Amino acid sequence: MGTIIGLVILAAIDWYLVRKTGLHIHQLISKKYAEHSSGKEHNK
C-alpha cells in the first residue's frame, strides 16, 4: 500500500512540475546537473 501512495505522490509532483516548468522530474534534474557541471568548469 505504501508503494502505491508513494507512486501517486511522485506522479502528482511530476504533473505539477510539468505544468510549472514544462519539464518532467528527470529532465529538470539533468538540466540542473548540467548547469552545476558547467559552473564547476568555469570556476577552474
Side-chain angles (χ1 to χ4, degrees):
M1 190 65 184
T3 304
I4 295 169
I5 294 169
L7 288 174
V8 168
I9 292 171
L10 280 176
I13 292 170
D14 188 53
W15 174 79
Y16 176 78
L17 283 174
V18 168
R19 290 199 53 197
K20 282 290 189 187
T21 66
L23 298 172
H24 289 276
I25 292 173
H26 62 278
Q27 293 169 324
L28 189 67
I29 291 171
S30 63
K31 181 181 173 189
K32 294 286 184 193
Y33 180 75
E35 289 173 3
H36 181 73
S37 295
S38 67
K40 279 187 170 180
E41 293 295 322
H42 293 297
N43 290 339
K44 286 185 178 179

